[in-house]
Amino acid sequence: MKKRNTGQEFVRGLHAGIPIGLGYLSVSFTFGIMAVSYGFTWWQALVISMTTVTSAGQFAGIGVMLHPGHYIEMLLSQLTINVRYSFMSISLSQRTDRRFRGLYRWLLGFFVTDEIFAVAVTEENVRRSFFAGLSAVPYLGWSAGTLIGALLGNVLPARLMSALSLAIYGMFVAIVVPEMKRKKEVIFVVLAAFAASCLFYYVPALSRVSSGLAISICAVVAAAVGAVLFPVDPEKEAE
């Protein structure tokens, strides 16, 4: 296999990030409109998106911000919603090349989202240039979508806004299904995550758990199922 240079890897990352960026554009559009309707200015909504890059965390965060002084609630909500990114960053760091060190690890942790992780983790060796390209378009899409939504306000009809909010789920399907076709093991992991998610939704006692923490638990459970049923031989993985 011909080894790609830095520029080629960056362009390849850009191409891989385009679908994610387009999906983020529609989802963050909704966030921009909601933030303005809550009383935030357009630039405040934009700053939140540019410094956070987390859909569920931002939607929950602006709700808590409406009641100043609830710092403990803010801390707990953001911790439970975003703790899954810690697991993703740790997992992805095991696939980075030897030059992906120091400050670059901090940048990796900042830009990791569910979708970026799902694409990057399919790489056998994640290079800095590829990850930079992969992160660039989604970040711009997320920021631009927020800005456009905040400026337009409530111009668009509610039905269209509801439809735009479904784009993120279509993006998940587009990322996961090809891997399910390529590796049958992924099917069982996805089914395990789906079953655990249903429990947190339908079981009364579990439905009280916050969505962020539920997602984290489902991810750990699914990963554990995959590790137990389909252990990876380190020697074969290194070949």
Side-chain angles (χ1 to χ4, degrees), residues 13-216:
L14 286 176
H15 289 165
I18 289 175
I20 303 176
L22 293 176
Y24 281 4
L25 187 69
S26 61
V27 177
S28 60
F29 189 94
T30 307
F31 171 76
I33 289 180
M34 182 177 293
V36 171
S37 68
Y38 280 6
F40 292 87
T41 63
W42 66 268
W43 66 267
Q44 288 174 328
L46 178 61
V47 169
I48 291 173
S49 282
M50 293 184 67
T51 57
T52 310
V53 197
T54 166
S55 56
Q58 290 181 209
F59 281 106
I62 60 176
V64 178
M65 290 179 188
L66 292 177
H67 307 284
H70 295 182
Y71 299 115
I72 299 300
E73 181 182 351
M74 172 72 78
L75 173 63
L76 292 177
S77 66
Q78 295 304 309
L79 179 62
T80 54
I81 289 173
N82 297 318
V83 69
R84 67 187 187 277
Y85 295 132
S86 300
F87 300 128
M88 294 178 189
S89 299
I90 293 172
S91 174
L92 192 58
S93 67
Q94 307 306 307
R95 291 177 174 268
T96 56
D97 65 10
R98 58 186 180 81
R99 298 178 61 191
F100 213 137
R101 295 289 185 273
L103 177 62
Y104 298 105
R105 289 294 182 96
W106 289 83
L107 294 175
L108 180 150
F110 175 77
F111 285 108
V112 164
T113 63
D114 302 295
E115 297 77 23
I116 291 177
F117 170 79
V119 174
V121 79
T122 61
E123 296 285 309
E124 293 184 4
N125 190 29
V126 182
R127 297 182 61 181
R128 293 184 307 182
S129 50
F130 172 80
F131 189 81
L134 176 62
S135 304
V137 178
Y139 182 74
L140 292 175
W142 186 257
S143 302
T146 299
L147 177 60
I148 296 171
L151 292 176
L152 288 181
N154 295 317
V155 174
L156 297 181
R159 288 185 179 181
L160 179 57
M161 294 310 305
S162 179
L164 287 173
S165 65
L166 295 176
I168 189 102
Y169 300 107
M171 185 171 52
F172 270 123
V173 173
I175 292 172
V176 174
V177 169
E179 282 299 305
M180 294 174 67
K181 291 181 178 179
R182 192 166 66 91
K183 296 182 179 179
K184 294 182 178 179
E185 297 89 343
V186 178
I187 297 176
F188 291 93
V189 175
V190 171
L191 291 176
F194 175 75
S197 180
C198 287
L199 289 176
F200 279 99
Y201 187 82
Y202 291 105
V203 177
L206 296 177
S207 63
R208 298 176 182 176
V209 178
S210 66
S211 60
L213 184 58
I215 291 174
S216 299

